Amino acid sequence: MSVSIFIGIYYRFSGGRQRTAAEYFSADNSMGIFPLAVAMMASQISAVSMLGMSGETYIRGSTIVFLYICSIFVIPIISFCHLPVFFEIKVVSIYELQQEIFARHKFTYSLKLKQFLVSCCQYLEKRFGLYMRLLVSAANFTETMLLTGVMLYAPSLALEATTGLSSTMSILILAIICTFYSTIGGIKAVLVTDIFQGFLMFIALGTIIGIIAMNIDDGIIGIWRIAQEDNRLDFSNWSLDPTIQYTCWSTLLGGAAIFLSFFAVNQVQIQRLMTTKKLKVARQALLWCTPLIVLIGVLTCFAGLSIYAVYRNCDPVASGKINTYDKILPYFSAERLTPGVVGIIVSGIFSASLSTISAMMNSLAAVALEDYVKPLHRKFGADFSDQKATFTAKALTLINGVICLFLALIAKTMGTLVVIAISIHGAIGGPILGIFTLGMFSETANELGTIIGMITALVVCLWAAFGKPKPPIPSLPVSIEGCANSTMLMLADQVSSNR
């Protein structure tokens, strides 16, 4: 966290010192392929992934790994179909007042220049109209804000399990640090800290797997064998039944939709990709990002299997030591590892959250500035200089940080991390993806029709995600037979089930 603060301060007083909106939001298009690839991976993998996915693998098996593997097929689609549209808009000169007409992907749109494409919803205004832009912008803003709150809450579980620090205090600390370096350092500070934090994630997961493998008979092979024996490696369920949460088809198709919505039309990643000078560089960064995402996804799921091998005969949740499988990774760290190693693990978890939250805060500021503040100034004929725009962007980042702090406190009451994150992302991100894709590949779609479709899709998806009642989510069996007080625990469980 200290390194993140230092990076923010460094980029506040280096280069252009974040005096222009272009530098604050696009890093003056100075990012290279590998740094951008690592940064995009880091912003995709959050503490929700490290804690939630390891816990889900522990209790429900490895099918969830398909959520990451599907990126192998999805990222090339984004690189060659969606990404060129945004770059076609971006590469036009921003210093001349003129009209240009582009024809690409079977549609035509006009572009009034003199502004850099900061908000990806600006495209929708050029394709459909102002009302469509504002509707999708509001939906995207809501989605990102809610997800940021969940991401902010996630690492508090790690601190609570390892140090005893209250979740409220850890949320406050993380919010202050992340808001600080995101506000003063702009997108360049966010990207550079993402690179540092991305490496910490790999170190944390590798440390957990390595230590467990050294203390389990037959090492990695032993972990794999235990997972097989207890049905944690069953990939035979290819059912299309939508009431079953994790099947091979649901995770592949659902994961593909999530990746498309997050990398193809989401403000967070589009803004990152726009920090390069050329489409070729952005495309290569996106393609290199794919193996990094798959690797860290596989490591996260295997960490869950490794921890299961440790607690195979004395499950911490069933024995009452923790109340949710989201805490299984930090609980293992606190119980079985030395303080120094615990620090590495907690650093990795915090890094996962910092990288995602800072990216979302910066993109929220971009959306608010471009879709609301600037249009209001233009409407009333008020002067809005670049210096004023930069100051406003920093103020908006600060305000977003405060709002996300309160949302994180609310997130504590909403359920497990993975379910919350996927529900929010699917219910709002799915319709947004549909609107962008419709605009890019259909000539006949108009503004009124897309607005009706968008509102209908949001209502249906939000009902599907959060409506009640829902079928129960099955869990794989766990055991407490190896616990010291197993007889008493089984008796208490029997009494509880009879009530």
Side-chain angles (χ1 to χ4, degrees):
M1 288 190 286
S2 299
V3 172
S4 300
I5 293 173
F6 172 77
I7 292 172
I9 294 173
Y10 174 80
Y11 281 108
R12 168 61 183 85
F13 295 103
S14 66
R17 301 187 179 183
Q18 315 303 321
R19 288 173 179 164
T20 66
E23 183 179 10
Y24 191 78
F25 287 127
S26 67
D28 284 334
N29 307 112
S30 60
M31 296 304 295
I33 296 172
F34 185 71
L36 184 57
V38 176
M40 287 193 297
M41 178 278 298
S43 64
Q44 168 70 10
I45 306 297
S46 66
V48 170
S49 302
M50 290 188 68
L51 299 180
M53 292 298 185
S54 58
E56 290 289 295
T57 305
Y58 178 105
I59 191 60
R60 296 192 172 93
S62 301
T63 306
I64 201 168
V65 76
F66 283 120
L67 287 174
Y68 298 101
I69 292 175
C70 67
S71 64
I72 297 172
F73 313 104
V74 172
I75 296 297
I77 296 173
I78 299 169
S79 298
F80 293 96
C81 295
H82 293 83
L83 188 58
V85 175
F86 294 106
F87 260 85
E88 192 84 36
I89 298 172
K90 172 196 168 185
V91 295
V92 182
S93 170
I94 62 174
Y95 301 108
E96 301 177 15
L97 284 172
Q98 56 178 321
Q99 292 284 330
E100 291 285 343
I101 301 294
F102 295 99
R104 190 173 184 86
H105 294 282
K106 297 184 180 180
F107 72 87
T108 303
Y109 55 88
S110 63
L111 173 62
K112 185 176 181 180
L113 303 180
K114 191 142 182 170
Q115 64 176 356
F116 174 77
L117 181 68
V118 175
S119 168
C120 59
C121 289
Q122 288 173 252
Y123 159 77
L124 292 176
E125 182 178 359
K126 305 176 191 309
R127 174 61 181 88
F128 293 113
L130 176 62
Y131 295 113
M132 189 70 247
R133 169 185 174 176
L134 292 177
L135 175 61
V136 174
S137 175
N140 178 70
F141 195 88
T142 303
E143 175 198 6
T144 306
M145 189 72 77
L146 291 172
L147 282 173
T148 306
V150 176
M151 306 301 177
L152 193 55
Y153 161 62
S156 70
L157 297 175
L159 270 189
E160 192 174 26
T162 55
T163 67
L165 184 69
S166 71
S167 58
T168 302
M169 182 56 67
S170 61
I171 288 171
L172 181 62
I173 293 171
L174 185 62
I176 291 172
I177 292 173
C178 200
T179 303
F180 174 77
Y181 78 77
S182 299
T183 300
I184 69 170
I187 189 67
K188 190 174 287 187
V190 170
L191 289 170
V192 174
T193 52
D194 282 356
I195 297 167
F196 168 71
Q197 291 155 3
F199 285 116
L200 277 181
M201 292 183 222
F202 281 109
I203 292 171
L205 291 170
T207 300
I208 291 172
I209 295 170
I211 289 175
I212 294 176
M214 288 190 293
N215 291 277
I216 291 282
D217 292 340
D218 298 328
I220 298 292
I221 297 174
I223 295 171
W224 189 266
R225 186 187 67 251
I226 292 171
Q228 279 185 319
E229 291 173 357
D230 291 355
N231 209 31
R232 259 76 184 171
L233 292 173
D234 182 12
F235 299 105
S236 62
N237 189 352
W238 290 85
S239 171
L240 290 172
D241 185 351
T243 64
I244 302 176
Q245 183 162 7
Y246 298 130
T247 69
C248 294
W249 275 125
S250 70
T251 49
L252 275 173
L253 297 177
I258 289 173
F259 269 95
L260 274 170
S261 63
F262 193 72
F263 279 94
V265 297
N266 187 279
Q267 176 68 31
V268 175
Q269 297 294 19
I270 292 298
Q271 188 176 335
R272 276 166 153 59
L273 290 166
M274 292 298 177
T275 60
T276 63
K277 291 185 181 296
K278 298 179 181 179
L279 171 61
K280 181 179 179 182
V281 176
R283 183 176 281 159
Q284 289 178 342
L286 194 54
L287 293 174
W288 275 107
C289 175
T290 306
L292 295 176
I293 289 175
V294 173
L295 177 58
I296 202 163
V298 170
L299 287 175
T300 301
C301 292
F302 198 79
L305 296 178
S306 302
I307 296 172
Y308 175 76
V310 174
Y311 294 117
R312 182 186 193 186
N313 297 314
C314 185
D315 182 77
V317 174
S319 61
K321 294 175 182 176
I322 54 177
N323 58 3
T324 173
Y325 288 101
D326 289 335
K327 294 182 180 179
I328 195 71
L329 190 151
Y331 173 78
F332 162 79
S333 303
E335 187 192 44
R336 300 295 181 104
L337 305 179
T338 61
V341 179
V342 171
I344 294 174
I345 307 304
V346 173
S347 296
I349 295 170
F350 264 71
S351 294
S353 269
L354 284 169
S355 60
T356 305
I357 296 166
S358 59
M360 289 182 169
M361 284 184 179
N362 191 272
S363 68
L364 283 169
V367 170
L369 182 69
E370 294 297 325
D371 291 345
Y372 304 105
V373 177
K374 283 187 176 181
L376 283 173
H377 278 76
R378 285 195 295 268
K379 181 177 181 180
F380 293 104
D383 177 63
F384 199 68
S385 64
D386 200 47
Q387 185 176 5
K388 187 176 180 180
T390 307
F391 175 80
T392 304
K394 294 179 180 181
L396 288 169
T397 304
L398 181 61
I399 293 170
N400 291 333
V402 175
I403 296 173
C404 292
L405 170 63
F406 287 105
L407 289 173
L409 297 175
I410 297 172
K412 297 197 301 184
T413 64
M414 293 179 65
T416 61
L417 294 174
V418 172
V419 172
I420 300 171
I422 291 179
S423 297
I424 294 172
H425 205 35
I428 304 178
I432 293 174
L433 170 65
I435 293 300
F436 271 96
T437 305
L438 177 68
M440 291 177 181
F441 299 103
S442 172
E443 295 180 11
T444 58
N446 57 44
E447 184 175 21
L448 178 60
T450 52
I451 288 175
I452 294 172
M454 178 72 178
I455 294 173
T456 304
L458 284 172
V459 171
V460 172
C461 291
L462 286 169
W463 169 79
F466 300 104
K468 303 289 183 180
K470 285 186 175 181
I473 303 173
S475 300
L476 294 173
V478 294
S479 173
I480 54 173
E481 293 180 0
C483 299
N485 56 343
S486 59
T487 303
M488 187 179 299
L489 289 169
M490 286 187 284
L491 180 62
D493 183 62
Q494 183 67 31
V495 171
S496 176
S497 63
N498 290 334
R499 288 179 179 175

